[in-house]
Amino acid sequence: MRIVLSASLILFSTLVAAQAWRIEGRIIDCTSKQELHLVNVGLMGTTKGATSDEKGHFIIDGINKGEYTLAVSAIGYEDRKIALTVPSSGGDKGVTISLCEKSVDLEQVVVTGTRTERQLKNVPVQTQLISSKAIEKMQVSNLKDMLEYELQGVEFNSNGGFSNINMLGYGGKYVLFLVDGERMAGETFDNIDYNRIDMDNVQQVEIVKGANSSLYGSNAVGGVINIISRKPEKPFEAAISTRVGSNYENNLRATIGSRLKWGYANVTASYKAMDPYLLKDREPLTQWFEDGTKIELPLSQTYIAGFSDYSITPAAGVNITEKLNLEVKGGYYFKERNPGGLDGSKVTDRYYNYSGGIKAGYSISNHSQLFFSANNDRYDKFKFYKLLDEKEKNYENYQNRLSASYNHSWEKGHSLVAGVEYLSDNLTTFMFVSNGINAKRTADTYSAYAQQELVLSKKVTLVGGLRFDYHSQFREHITPRLSAMYKPLSRVTLRGGYSGGFRSPTLKELHTDWFHPDGGGFQIIGNKNMKAERSNNFNVSAEISLGKTVITGMSQYSLIRDMVNTVWINSDTVIYANTGNVRMLSNELTIASRITPQLTVKGGYSYVRDNQGKRSLVRPHSATARVEYTAPLFRKHNPSFSLSGKYFGKMDIYSTGNIDDNNNDSGIGKEDSDIYRIEYEEYAMFRFSFSQTLPYNFAINAGINNLFGYKAKFSSFYSSISPGRTFYVGLKWNL
């Protein structure tokens, strides 16, 4: 009897095993044909599924005969559902599934607009995302070029040989730049050192346009740009790239990293260099006076500074327990700036940056988390006298920031973020004392904030926020926010609301006492009696998603009270002062579409206007356009082409030749009798790029900047500094 029973069990087991099948396959990118890692594959109607490995391979075991639907999804790609039969009629064990990238990645997770993780389509504050793949396709070597070519409302000009940003009418002191949520020290002409950002080490860039002071405090009136650093995704990965170009451009970068169950670790290093170049006027700069006369200045030439810099950035994250994780990062950056010409052969500028920080996250429950961070960022500037081989320190800025925050979410979608911060800003410079001796000034800010999201229905989300700041000089300030998101249709999202804003005058604006040697020489004086700027900001936006096409429109109106500017009080003295109220209206329209899996087009237009009249420095019209195409010529290694362009509308800048008649109380000119106008022409510049993947994980890229060779008629503060048509070629290897 036992023998019969055993035989029956063996036979039954064999029959069951014979009925168990597996689904096996490979996931690839529909354009590049490269294997995709971490793709989710599930069998609908069952609990069975798998995730693709580093070679794009997946296996689902224990499948009975029948008809099934395979659901395939990955961040940044269109979802696919595939009907199949088990076993397949052809007896094949494998299936190849291709996924195509989304035209605009509304599924991507962002954090900047709310300080909590949200899918881009569900963020109640208008946020723009630039992914690492988009950055790679642009083939830009620095943050400045990426922002200027990608964002229609962004323009950079040269002030004293340094890059100055203007974003939808706001200068650098109104745009807050963050790296992984932390502020950057070392402003120059109100701007950060854009060379500090290694574009190959960027996972994504999140841009919140408009006032965001209720979450981020001072400087976040015109927008927040948060650069998120890349983290390794594989057990072991390494990459090295090089690029050479016109004006002896030379870039070299290397990275190595690992992600395992315990956490991750990586280190990146980069070197960049470019020689200075000379711009020569083709036409004289003309000053047009109101009485009809004109003055043509002599033709001149201007050197655009060259540079060489290198950086190293280590980072590590450790999962101490299932609930507690810790991240540590540091960085060192060095740059030598060569102003060019005879001056550059004698004296150069040297810059050093040291940064370090630690972050901890603790999960109280599935719905509650605590976060702590401490960060230090220091930026030093030196004059280096080459013939003497000596350097002189003339600037030191370091910022210390401590923060703690609490996030809580409810099952119905409501969420709360609350936190406290401490920021210490310390600046030492020779510009603070008239005799040129370095002096130190400090400002401390203590802050507390809270923001509540209420999901009233699937269509309506309300956001309310409040921030309290106590500044060591400007005392307390309260900043509110109230906004809403409404989805009348599944493909339409409307956003709008009000946000308060404020900006404390910087240490430079408060304490400067410096004789500027150029332009005939004049004194620049700070003003300790100024008020902090306050603003009321209203914005509305609409987003329409038509599958492969996304249309976004945004409009913002701002009223800034007690704006801080420099004004002449006599022919040789400039003072910082509150110059009055400013109203600004900015509008944007963007259209992005993936016409086919191989062809993507994107375009945008912006219009900005303020009430400053002849004091305005805004270029009203600008536009961008880009076409990307991947040619399906080969099975796996297909070439990609990109053509992008940026249009800048014309603008008039006014200045004065006679500033003797002034208001003695404010120091602002009552009437400028000798006002003259400088006309800056409209212009457009285009970029063409090419990339080709090769066997063994190599890729080559090449391109032409300023394709049609545009050069400004004359060199001045608001003209293009492009030397004309330039070229580059690069090689990259990934493991």
Side-chain angles (χ1 to χ4, degrees):
M1 185 65 181
R2 291 182 179 177
I3 296 175
V4 175
L5 182 58
S6 299
S8 299
L9 290 173
I10 293 172
L11 178 61
F12 178 76
S13 301
T14 303
L15 291 173
V16 171
Q19 293 176 348
W21 299 81
R22 69 165 46 177
I23 298 175
E24 184 176 356
R26 190 170 63 105
I27 314 293
I28 62 172
D29 185 288
C30 72
T31 302
S32 67
K33 307 304 179 184
Q34 292 183 337
E35 296 84 2
L36 298 179
H37 184 214
L38 298 177
V39 177
N40 296 317
V41 184
L43 212 56
M44 297 184 66
T46 75
T47 59
K48 297 183 179 298
T51 301
S52 64
D53 61 20
E54 296 176 23
K55 297 182 179 180
H57 185 251
F58 72 91
I59 296 176
I60 304 177
D61 285 314
I63 308 300
N64 297 327
K65 290 183 179 180
E67 304 289 332
Y68 294 95
T69 299
L70 208 61
V72 186
S73 63
I75 292 178
Y77 287 86
E78 300 282 356
D79 294 345
R80 286 199 62 185
K81 294 181 180 179
I82 301 167
L84 48 79
T85 302
V86 178
S88 61
S89 58
D92 295 335
K93 291 185 178 181
V95 58
T96 299
I97 302 170
S98 60
L99 297 183
C100 295
E101 289 185 55
K102 295 179 181 177
S103 56
V104 177
D105 192 4
L106 298 180
E107 308 295 327
Q108 187 74 22
V109 173
V110 297
V111 297
T112 306
T114 60
R115 282 191 184 264
T116 57
E117 292 188 351
R118 290 283 187 278
Q119 285 186 325
L120 185 59
K121 64 181 180 182
N122 294 327
V123 175
V125 180
Q126 184 64 43
T127 304
Q128 184 172 348
L129 170 73
I130 305 175
S131 67
S132 58
K133 289 186 178 180
I135 295 172
E136 186 174 358
K137 290 178 180 178
M138 290 182 216
Q139 296 183 24
V140 290
S141 60
N142 59 72
L143 178 65
K144 180 180 74 69
D145 287 349
M146 187 274 289
L147 293 175
E148 191 162 41
Y149 274 96
E150 178 67 13
L151 306 178
Q152 58 269 17
V154 169
E155 178 189 11
F156 284 89
N157 50 58
S158 179
N159 190 347
F162 297 88
S163 296
N164 263 14
I165 190 174
N166 186 292
M167 188 168 88
L168 293 175
Y170 290 97
K173 61 185 178 182
Y174 297 99
V175 181
L176 178 60
F177 282 88
L178 305 172
V179 175
D180 297 323
E182 300 292 346
R183 290 173 177 253
M184 302 174 66
E187 63 85 17
T188 298
F189 289 99
D190 303 323
N191 288 250
I192 64 166
D193 185 342
Y194 298 101
N195 273 30
R196 281 182 57 183
I197 307 301
D198 176 9
M199 296 307 299
D200 282 334
N201 194 37
V202 175
Q203 178 62 36
Q204 62 191 46
V205 179
E206 299 173 14
I207 303 161
V208 183
K209 297 175 182 176
N212 214 29
S213 293
S214 62
L215 280 181
Y216 292 97
S218 185
N219 300 88
V221 177
V224 178
I225 298 177
N226 192 8
I227 299 107
I228 310 297
S229 301
R230 186 193 297 269
K231 296 178 182 178
E233 298 179 351
K234 302 176 182 179
F236 179 77
E237 57 186 44
I240 187 169
S241 62
T242 184
R243 166 170 157 163
V244 295
S246 303
N247 299 314
Y248 294 96
E249 177 190 1
N250 191 354
N251 295 344
L252 181 63
R253 177 186 179 274
T255 183
I256 186 171
S258 174
R259 178 179 287 276
L260 299 169
K261 291 183 178 180
W262 58 265
Y264 75 91
N266 72 292
V267 60
T268 64
S270 69
Y271 168 78
K272 302 187 293 290
M274 188 180 71
D275 281 358
Y277 57 87
L278 185 64
L279 297 180
K280 296 182 178 180
D281 289 354
R282 296 184 292 112
E283 297 182 11
L285 188 154
T286 302
Q287 299 174 347
W288 298 88
F289 287 82
E290 292 187 328
D291 60 3
T293 62
K294 68 175 182 178
I295 296 178
E296 293 186 349
L297 302 184
L299 294 179
S300 64
Q301 56 187 27
T302 303
Y303 273 101
I304 302 302
F307 65 89
S308 61
D309 67 56
Y310 55 83
S311 65
I312 182 168
T313 308
V318 181
N319 302 320
I320 298 176
T321 68
E322 291 184 357
K323 293 188 174 184
L324 178 63
N325 65 78
L326 192 68
E327 286 187 308
V328 180
K329 62 179 298 185
Y332 172 76
Y333 166 83
F334 167 81
K335 179 174 76 172
E336 183 166 10
R337 177 181 176 273
N338 183 348
L342 182 60
D343 291 340
S345 66
K346 298 178 179 179
V347 182
T348 61
D349 300 306
R350 287 188 172 183
Y351 307 91
Y352 300 82
N353 172 243
Y354 314 87
S355 61
I358 183 169
K359 293 183 179 181
Y362 180 74
S363 296
I364 301 172
S365 67
N366 292 335
H367 300 286
S368 301
Q369 299 85 34
L370 281 172
F371 299 95
F372 304 91
S373 70
N375 193 77
N376 173 268
D377 197 36
R378 173 177 161 180
Y379 194 84
D380 297 344
K381 303 178 185 180
F382 292 81
K383 286 288 186 182
F384 177 64
Y385 301 95
K386 300 172 70 173
L387 300 180
L388 300 176
D389 192 24
E390 295 178 356
K391 62 182 181 180
E392 177 187 13
K393 190 173 188 177
N394 56 27
Y395 179 101
E396 178 187 293
N397 178 216
Y398 66 89
Q399 296 180 353
N400 296 316
R401 179 177 175 270
L402 302 173
S403 70
S405 64
Y406 170 74
N407 294 353
H408 184 83
S409 60
W410 288 266
E411 293 182 356
K412 293 185 178 181
H414 310 316
S415 66
L416 169 70
V417 56
V420 293
E421 297 178 353
Y422 165 72
L423 176 66
S424 177
D425 189 15
N426 304 268
L427 179 58
T428 302
T429 174
F430 72 95
M431 295 183 180
F432 283 163
V433 180
S434 58
N435 62 8
I437 299 174
N438 281 349
K440 180 179 178 180
R441 300 290 184 267
T442 300
D444 296 324
T445 305
Y446 305 85
S447 310
Y449 63 88
Q451 181 166 288
Q452 173 84 59
E453 289 184 39
L454 298 176
V455 182
L456 302 185
S457 68
K458 292 183 179 180
K459 294 185 176 182
V460 180
T461 300
L462 293 181
V463 179
L466 196 67
R467 183 184 180 97
F468 174 84
D469 290 275
Y470 183 86
H471 189 276
S472 55
Q473 175 161 339
F474 297 99
R475 307 308 176 190
E476 63 275 354
H477 187 86
I478 296 177
T479 310
R481 158 178 276 173
L482 181 62
S483 57
M485 179 174 64
Y486 175 53
K487 296 184 177 182
L489 301 170
S490 60
R491 296 181 179 272
V492 178
T493 302
L494 305 177
R495 298 177 175 91
Y498 161 80
S499 179
F502 84 98
R503 189 185 74 85
S504 301
T506 64
L507 293 171
K508 178 183 71 175
E509 293 170 332
L510 293 170
H511 303 290
T512 296
D513 187 1
W514 175 54
F515 181 79
H516 195 305
D518 297 330
F522 55 93
Q523 194 79 12
I524 302 177
I525 300 176
N527 185 348
K528 300 176 185 178
N529 299 317
M530 289 188 295
K531 302 175 183 178
E533 297 179 354
R534 300 168 184 259
S535 62
N536 294 306
N537 308 273
F538 304 87
N539 68 84
V540 293
S541 67
E543 182 178 271
I544 303 174
S545 177
L546 305 174
K548 296 182 179 180
T549 300
V550 175
I551 304 172
T552 304
M554 186 191 78
S555 181
Q556 174 170 298
Y557 173 78
S558 298
L559 172 61
I560 304 175
R561 301 192 303 273
D562 301 316
M563 176 174 272
V564 175
N565 270 318
T566 54
V567 292
W568 293 88
I569 59 173
N570 53 53
S571 59
D572 62 1
T573 305
V574 176
I575 189 172
Y576 286 98
N578 295 112
T579 58
N581 300 336
V582 173
R583 295 187 298 273
M584 189 173 302
L585 176 67
S586 57
N587 304 276
E588 279 193 321
L589 178 66
T590 304
I591 302 175
S593 179
R594 180 177 290 276
I595 299 176
T596 70
Q598 292 80 31
L599 178 63
T600 300
V601 296
K602 183 176 181 180
Y605 166 77
S606 72
Y607 171 73
V608 181
R609 182 179 180 181
D610 63 27
N611 70 327
Q612 296 202 82
K614 294 178 180 180
R615 294 183 183 273
S616 178
L617 303 177
V618 171
R619 192 182 292 269
H621 304 278
S622 63
T624 58
R626 186 167 71 248
V627 178
E628 296 174 352
Y629 178 67
T630 300
L633 301 178
F634 309 107
R635 179 177 176 273
K636 188 173 182 179
H637 304 291
N638 292 320
S640 295
F641 305 89
S642 175
L643 177 64
S644 60
K646 183 74 175 277
Y647 164 81
F648 301 92
K650 65 180 180 180
M651 67 185 300
D652 292 334
I653 297 296
Y654 291 83
S655 190
T656 55
N658 184 349
I659 49 175
D660 291 332
D661 192 10
N662 293 288
N663 183 312
N664 293 327
D665 294 329
S666 67
I668 302 173
K670 290 186 292 186
E671 184 169 343
D672 301 308
S673 57
D674 290 342
I675 296 177
Y676 63 84
R677 171 175 52 89
I678 300 176
E679 298 177 352
Y680 289 87
E681 63 183 348
E682 62 181 350
Y683 67 96
M685 289 195 292
F686 293 83
R687 301 176 71 248
F688 174 78
S689 62
F690 160 81
S691 63
Q692 172 72 65
T693 60
L694 300 171
Y696 305 107
N697 300 319
F698 282 95
I700 59 172
N701 57 74
I704 306 172
N705 296 318
N706 196 354
L707 182 62
F708 300 107
Y710 169 79
K711 291 184 179 180
K713 294 179 180 179
F714 53 82
S715 299
S716 187
F717 286 121
Y718 305 101
S719 58
S720 167
I721 60 171
S722 171
R725 188 181 297 108
T726 60
F727 306 86
Y728 70 87
V729 62
L731 178 66
K732 188 173 184 178
W733 174 78
N734 284 300
L735 179 61

